[in-house]
């Protein structure tokens, strides 16, 4: 559910793993499709965005992510008649990256920020065997495979430059699986909660 900045009614943003992003408006018990751009034409695939959908709390942008690599950010706005409009998607792709969850963070009217729980696997061709370090990662003592780390990453949408960048990342627990945004501004401290096996991390 998204409420555009300055609006009095909500619209529904819907992602589809088949490759479409839809903005719906409901009034009088009937739904109306406002926009339905298609960004994937190869069906349901792990690289087609649609599995995860996160919106900026101020209704300025929506991030739609695939299970692997691809992330798109749509900037939302209104035309002169007040009808919601969407701009062309901005790419925030990262190769060899598995996404577990995404959420929009509440940071007031600063540039929209989206948090993503990610895992970047190694490129098989870059593995260097025969040492204590494999592809830049320390080996696991039990099976000799490199220790892979999950990360919490922040993606910032610069509204002035119309550009998305990966601004910050930190390592989190290997069992981390979900995110929950914490209200910010006058309603709370902001940030994000990370849920994992038998623990919650702020």
């Amino acid at each position: 559910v998204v409420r555009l900045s300055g609006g009095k009614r909500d619209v529904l943003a819907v992602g589809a793993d088949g490759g479409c992003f839809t903005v719906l408006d409901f009034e009088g018990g009937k739904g109306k499709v406002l926009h339905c751009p298609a960004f994937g034409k190869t069906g349901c695939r792990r690289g087609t965005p649609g599995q995860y959908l996160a919106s900026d709390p101020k209704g300025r942008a929506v991030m739609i992510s695939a299970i692997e690599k691809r992330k798109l950010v749509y900037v939302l706005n209104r035309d002169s008649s007040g009808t919601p409009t969407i701009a062309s998607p901005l790419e925030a792709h990262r190769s060899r990256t598995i996404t577990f969850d995404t959420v929009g963070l509440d940071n007031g009217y600063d540039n929209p920020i989206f948090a993503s729980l990610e895992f970047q696997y190694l490129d098989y061709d870059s593995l260097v065997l025969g040492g204590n370090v494999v592809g830049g990662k320390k080996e696991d003592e039990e099976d000799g495979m490199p220790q892979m780390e999950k990360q919490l990453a922040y993606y910032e949408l610069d509204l002035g430059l119309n550009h998305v960048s990966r601004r910050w990342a930190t390592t989190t627990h290997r069992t981390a699986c979900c995110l929950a945004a914490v209200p910010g501004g006058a309603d709370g401290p902001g940030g994000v909660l990370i849920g994992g096996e038998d623990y919650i991390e702020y």
Side-chain angles (χ1 to χ4, degrees), residues 18-115:
C20 286
F21 170 67
T22 308
V23 178
L24 300 170
D25 186 17
F26 288 90
E27 186 173 4
K30 295 182 179 180
K32 178 182 179 182
V33 178
L34 300 179
H35 300 282
C36 187
F39 46 77
K41 300 180 180 179
T42 57
C44 181
R45 300 166 64 94
R46 66 183 185 182
T48 301
Q51 184 70 25
Y52 304 104
L53 187 68
S55 64
D56 171 55
K58 299 300 182 183
R60 297 169 295 175
V62 171
M63 172 179 275
I64 184 167
S65 308
I67 294 176
E68 182 176 358
K69 182 182 178 179
R70 299 181 66 197
K71 294 181 178 66
L72 299 174
V73 176
Y74 284 91
V75 178
L76 305 178
N77 215 325
R78 291 182 180 275
D79 59 18
S80 57
S81 63
T83 303
T85 62
I86 58 175
S88 298
L90 303 174
E91 297 181 352
H93 305 334
R94 190 164 187 255
S95 61
R96 307 192 319 276
T97 300
I98 303 295
T99 301
F100 293 89
D101 201 4
T102 57
V103 294
L105 300 187
D106 187 356
N107 63 331
Y109 286 99
D110 292 337
N111 285 331
I113 294 179
F114 298 92

Side-chain angles (χ1 to χ4, degrees), residues 128-135 137-139 144-145:
V128 181
L129 303 177
N132 293 327
V133 176
V134 180
K137 300 288 185 179
K138 295 183 179 180
E139 289 185 354
M145 293 299 292

